[in-house]
Amino acid sequence: MKPRNLAIVLTTGLALTATACGGDSSGSGGSGGVSITVACRPAKTAPKLRDAWDDDVATFEKAHPGVSVKSTDQQPCFDPKTFAAKLAGGQMETVFVVPVTNYGDVIAKRQAKDITASTGVVKNFGDIKQDVRGMVTKDGKVYGVPNVSYSVGLVYNRALFAKAGLDPDAPPRTWEEVRAAAKKIADLGDGYVGYGEYGGGNTGGWHFAQALFSRGGEMVTDGKAAFNSAEGKAVLHNLHDMRWKDDSVGSRVLIGWESLMQQMAAGKTGMMLGAPDVITDVTQKFQGKAADYGITGVPGGKASLAGGEAYMINPKASPSQTKAALQWIDFQFNTPGKGRFDFARGKANGEAVGVPNNDYMGDSPTGKAIAEGRKANAVLPVKNYEPYVDAAPGITPKPEPEKAQELYAVLDVAMSAVLTRESADVDKLLADAESKANSILARR
C-alpha cells in the first residue's frame, strides 16, 4: 500500500485561482455551457501519461458538448502539506481525490457535496463493493465515488526464495514461517536481508498496525488505544528477535516509504509488507526485475489493513457542475476500457499492467471486466500474484484507525527501538505509546 500521505513530492508552481478551484458557483463555461476543474493530471515528467490524460479530456468534452474540463497540475493528487489548507479555504477543484484516511474529516467539515440523488450518473456505482461504498456514506447520504480499494499482503522476492532453497510457489502464511524464511535468506551472505522493515517517518507505526491487524489485534477500541495487547507485544517481540537473534532484518533503520522499496528493488531483500502497488513501483520506478517479485496474503491472515481513495465534489459546485463532475468520474475512473482502465493503451505506453492493485468492484460485472482487461494486456507475470488473489477473499479488510498518522508517529518510537536496541523493553515501549496515543485520541 502506498501511504499517499507519507511519500509525497510536492509539485511546484501550483497556482489556483478561485475559478480554477471550483469557486465558480455558476458553473458557466460560456455560451450556456458548464466548466469544471479536475485534479490529478499526470506530471510533465510522465509525458505519455500526461498525453493520455489530455486525450481523455478531449474525448470526454467531445462526448459531452458544452462541458469544459480544466485540469490542475498537482502530483501526487493528495498532498498532506497542502490538503488541509486547501480544504479549509474552499480551494478544492470541482473534482478532487481524498484518501480513505481523510473521508471522515472531509465529510464532517462539510467540504464534500452530498451526491446521494445523483449517484445514478455514475453508471456502475452499484457495482462498487458495499463495504467500500459504505466508507463514503454517512447518515444515509453519499459523499463520494470510491475508485481504489486494496489491502496489504506480503511482497516477496521469488528469486531469493529459490536461491535460499525455499519454494517460491509456497510463500509464508504465518509469522513463524516468515521468520524461518527470513533467516534462510539472510544466511545467503553479507548484504542479504530476509525481511525488510521500517523504523520511522510514520512508516514504522504504519507497518506496526499492519502486522497487528494480521494477528487479530486492534489499534483503537471505543476511542482508546488497544494496541498494548498480546498481539501488539507479539509484533515487537518477533521483530526484535529477528533483528537480534536471527540477524535477518538488516541493521539499517529505514525511514520513509521509498527507502524500503529501493532496498527491495536492489534484489537482496526477501520480503516486506505491502499492497500490490508495491510491485508496480519496485519494478517500474525502482527498476527491479519484474519476474523476481510476487505477492501473497498477509501473514497470519486474521485481517489486513485496507486502503483506498475516492473522488468527491466541491460543495460549491452548481447542479450542472455536479452532473458534469460525476460524468467525468464515470468516464475517467470507473469504466472498463476507458480512462485509467484503458489497459491496452497503458501497455502501449509502457505501464506496468498486470498487478491486481485494485479490488473496489469485487466480482461484480464491472469488476470482472476490469480484471479481464488487465489480464489480457498484462506485461507483468500475473501468475506471481495468484497467491494474493487467492488469499484475499478469506482476509477481513480493516480501515485505518482514527488519527492514524498521529498514532503511527507514536509507534515509530517502539518500532525503531526494537530495531536499534537489543535491550529494548517491549512492555514499557507499548505502555508509553499507549499513554501518548490516549492523549491524542482524547483531543476531539
Side-chain angles (χ1 to χ4, degrees), residues 161-211:
F161 265 56
K163 191 172 184 177
L166 300 163
D167 182 356
D169 293 324
R173 294 185 176 185
T174 68
W175 282 104
E176 290 77 14
E177 291 177 359
V178 168
R179 181 176 174 181
K183 181 71 168 61
K184 288 190 175 183
I185 292 169
D187 285 346
L188 289 172
D190 290 343
Y192 286 93
V193 174
Y195 175 79
E197 190 50 280
Y198 293 113
N202 289 21
T203 50
W206 177 54
H207 266 205
F208 173 89
Q210 295 176 19

Side-chain angles (χ1 to χ4, degrees), residues 108-119:
K109 291 178 177 174
R110 301 179 186 274
Q111 293 292 351
K113 190 161 189 173
D114 175 3
I115 58 170
T116 310
S118 305
T119 56

Side-chain angles (χ1 to χ4, degrees), residues 211-292:
L212 178 74
F213 289 161
S214 77
R215 293 174 178 272
E218 297 285 350
M219 283 287 288
V220 177
T221 301
D222 297 329
K224 293 187 176 181
F227 52 74
N228 187 9
S229 60
E231 292 85 3
K233 292 175 182 177
V235 171
L236 294 184
H237 279 301
N238 186 61
L239 190 58
H240 174 274
D241 290 349
M242 290 175 74
R243 169 67 181 90
W244 299 104
K245 293 181 179 179
D246 300 347
D247 193 20
S248 62
V249 296
S251 57
R252 291 179 58 204
V253 177
L254 300 173
I255 297 175
W257 181 72
E258 290 195 344
S259 59
L260 181 50
M261 304 281 288
Q262 291 169 324
Q263 179 176 295
M264 195 77 187
K268 287 191 172 183
T269 296
M271 296 170 282
M272 64 173 285
L273 289 174
D277 65 347
V278 166
I279 299 279
T280 303
D281 285 315
V282 164
T283 59
Q284 191 167 52
K285 185 175 182 179
F286 300 114
Q287 306 300 307
K289 188 177 179 181
D292 288 352

Side-chain angles (χ1 to χ4, degrees), residues 9 52 61 69 99 105 127 140 154 162 170 204 206 249 264 267 269 276 285 289 304 306-307 337 363 391:
V9 177
E61 289 179 333
V69 175
D105 185 55
D127 279 356
L154 182 74
W206 177 54
V249 296
M264 195 77 187
T269 296
K285 185 175 182 179
K289 188 177 179 181
S304 180
D363 60 357

